[in-house]
């Protein structure tokens, strides 16, 4: 978004952010529901979906949930890393993220499960008092006579991409530990480690694909607003920074040696080269 603001104002940046998420999240939400076998049209499916959305990464965004019934639930953020990043930038940026951007994008994500679902705040930043906890608190309601959320027009464009049309994977059968999928009851304290290895492999491939779909929708939005030339100029800078930081995190998390073998391991795990059905990378 900083790269967008080199040639555009804050309001345009916010619209790009909205279009990026609205065009991609319904597509990858339905894929994850199919991949880990938790279809449905109730709030339980919406909550499971939020737990497996790249926009709510565990540890960085500490989502907590409470199911009320089939049509109602609440969630709150005991910690929001995004808010911690944005608060020093001032109240306008906080309002832009937590109001202008969140309202349509939360609804678009929920609409992937039920178009008559709405996510509305009980409270949200800017924080008053300044140390208010939790950082925000939201309610999910499905109302039968509510107006259906309409897909963003760019969603249809992103849906034609090769990434969006990849076959949805399924976990391999296993007798090992962990959940084979997420077809069982909703777990408000879900951690990725709760899944079996085959299920986790599928989830990680889909996380990688979510990155590609978000990048695709971002570039479509930038091109439509600022032109193809600007989108092409942003892409290598964006991916270079993103991939470099991710490579460093993989190196540090896995204590990879500064050798060719360490680099090969990092490249074989880097989400930019996942899933293999989309990016056919060979590391030698």
């Amino acid at each position: 978004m900083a790269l967008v603001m080199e040639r555009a104002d804050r309001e345009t940046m916010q619209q790009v952010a909205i279009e990026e998420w609205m065009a991609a999240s319904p597509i990858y939400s339905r894929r994850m529901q199919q991949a880990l076998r938790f279809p449905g049209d109730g709030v339980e499916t919406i909550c499971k979906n939020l737990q497996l959305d790249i926009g709510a990464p565990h540890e960085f965004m500490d989502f907590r949930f409470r199911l009320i019934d089939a049509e109602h639930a609440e969630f709150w953020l005991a910690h929001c890393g995004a808010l911690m990043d944005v608060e020093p930038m001032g109240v306008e940026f906080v309002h832009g993220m937590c109001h202008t951007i969140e309202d349509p994008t939360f609804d678009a994500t929920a609409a992937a499960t039920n178009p008559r679902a709405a996510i509305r705040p009980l409270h949200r930043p800017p924080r008053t008092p300044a140390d208010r906890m939790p950082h925000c608190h939201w309610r999910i309601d499905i109302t039968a006579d509510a107006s259906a959320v309409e897909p963003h027009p760019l969603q249809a464009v992103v849906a034609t991409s090769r990434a969006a049309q990849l076959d949805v994977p399924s976990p391999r059968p296993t007798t090992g530990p962990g959940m084979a999928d997420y077809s069982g009851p909703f777990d408000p304290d879900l951690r990725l480690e709760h899944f079996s290895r085959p299920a986790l492999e599928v989830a990680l491939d889909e996380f990688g694909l979510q990155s590609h779909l978000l990048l695709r929708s971002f570039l479509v939005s930038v091109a439509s607003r600022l032109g193809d030339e600007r989108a092409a100029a942003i892409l290598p800078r964006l991916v270079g920074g993103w991939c470099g930081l991710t490579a460093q995190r993989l190196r540090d998390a896995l204590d990879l040696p500064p050798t060719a073998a360490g680099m090969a391991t990092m490249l074989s795990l880097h989400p930019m080269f996942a899933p293999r059905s989309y990016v056919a990378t060979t590391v030698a």
Side-chain angles (χ1 to χ4, degrees), residues 77-88 90-95 97-99 123-137:
L77 270 72
H79 174 78
C80 178
L83 180 64
M84 298 297 94
D85 284 341
V86 170
E87 275 189 334
V91 69
E92 285 188 337
F93 280 90
V94 171
H95 192 279
M97 180 178 74
C98 300
H99 295 246
H123 76 78
R124 56 180 164 178
R127 292 194 286 169
T128 305
D131 59 351
R132 184 172 189 176
M133 295 294 290
H135 286 168
C136 62
H137 193 167

Side-chain angles (χ1 to χ4, degrees), residues 20 48 51 53 59 113 143 158 179-180 200 225 247 262 270 284:
E20 174 187 0
K48 288 181 175 182
Q51 291 177 314
D53 190 309
E59 309 299 337
T113 298
T143 308
V158 176
M179 300 189 301
L200 187 55
R225 290 179 174 275
H270 202 295

Side-chain angles (χ1 to χ4, degrees), residues 16-211:
V16 170
I18 290 168
E19 290 175 353
E20 174 187 0
W21 288 96
M22 290 188 72
S25 68
I27 297 170
Y28 66 63
S29 292
R30 296 187 185 104
R31 288 185 58 91
M32 188 66 86
Q33 291 172 21
Q34 182 178 345
L36 291 184
R37 304 186 180 111
F38 59 98
D41 59 2
V43 294
E44 181 175 4
T45 299
I46 294 173
C47 291
K48 288 181 175 182
N49 196 83
L50 288 171
Q51 291 177 314
L52 294 167
D53 190 309
I54 198 173
H58 299 193
E59 309 299 337
F60 184 65
M61 313 280 277
D62 187 3
F63 275 69
R64 307 291 177 88
F65 295 87
R66 183 172 74 91
L67 291 180
I68 299 172
D69 55 37
E71 287 80 36
H72 307 285
E74 294 180 4
F75 67 88
W76 57 96
L77 270 72
H79 174 78
C80 178
L83 180 64
M84 298 297 94
D85 284 341
V86 170
E87 275 189 334
M89 300 169 68
V91 69
E92 285 188 337
F93 280 90
V94 171
H95 192 279
M97 180 178 74
C98 300
H99 295 246
T100 308
I101 295 172
E102 290 288 24
D103 284 350
T105 56
F106 265 156
D107 279 356
T109 299
T113 298
N114 191 314
R116 287 179 168 75
I119 299 180
R120 296 292 179 265
L122 297 176
H123 76 78
R124 56 180 164 178
R127 292 194 286 169
T128 305
D131 59 351
R132 184 172 189 176
M133 295 294 290
H135 286 168
C136 62
H137 193 167
W138 302 76
R139 184 178 173 95
I140 309 172
D141 298 296
I142 297 174
T143 308
D145 58 355
S147 299
V149 175
E150 294 294 330
H152 192 282
L154 289 187
Q155 180 181 325
V157 178
V158 176
T160 65
S161 66
R162 295 180 181 182
Q165 296 181 41
L166 286 181
D167 289 341
V168 177
S170 296
R172 294 178 288 105
T174 181
T175 57
M179 300 189 301
D181 52 41
Y182 205 2
S183 59
F186 173 70
D187 178 1
D189 298 314
L190 178 75
R191 297 180 64 86
L192 296 178
E193 296 92 326
H194 295 172
F195 289 108
S196 67
R197 176 171 179 147
L200 187 55
E201 288 172 348
V202 166
L204 292 176
D205 268 356
E206 285 299 304
F207 288 146
L209 192 67
Q210 288 181 16
S211 296

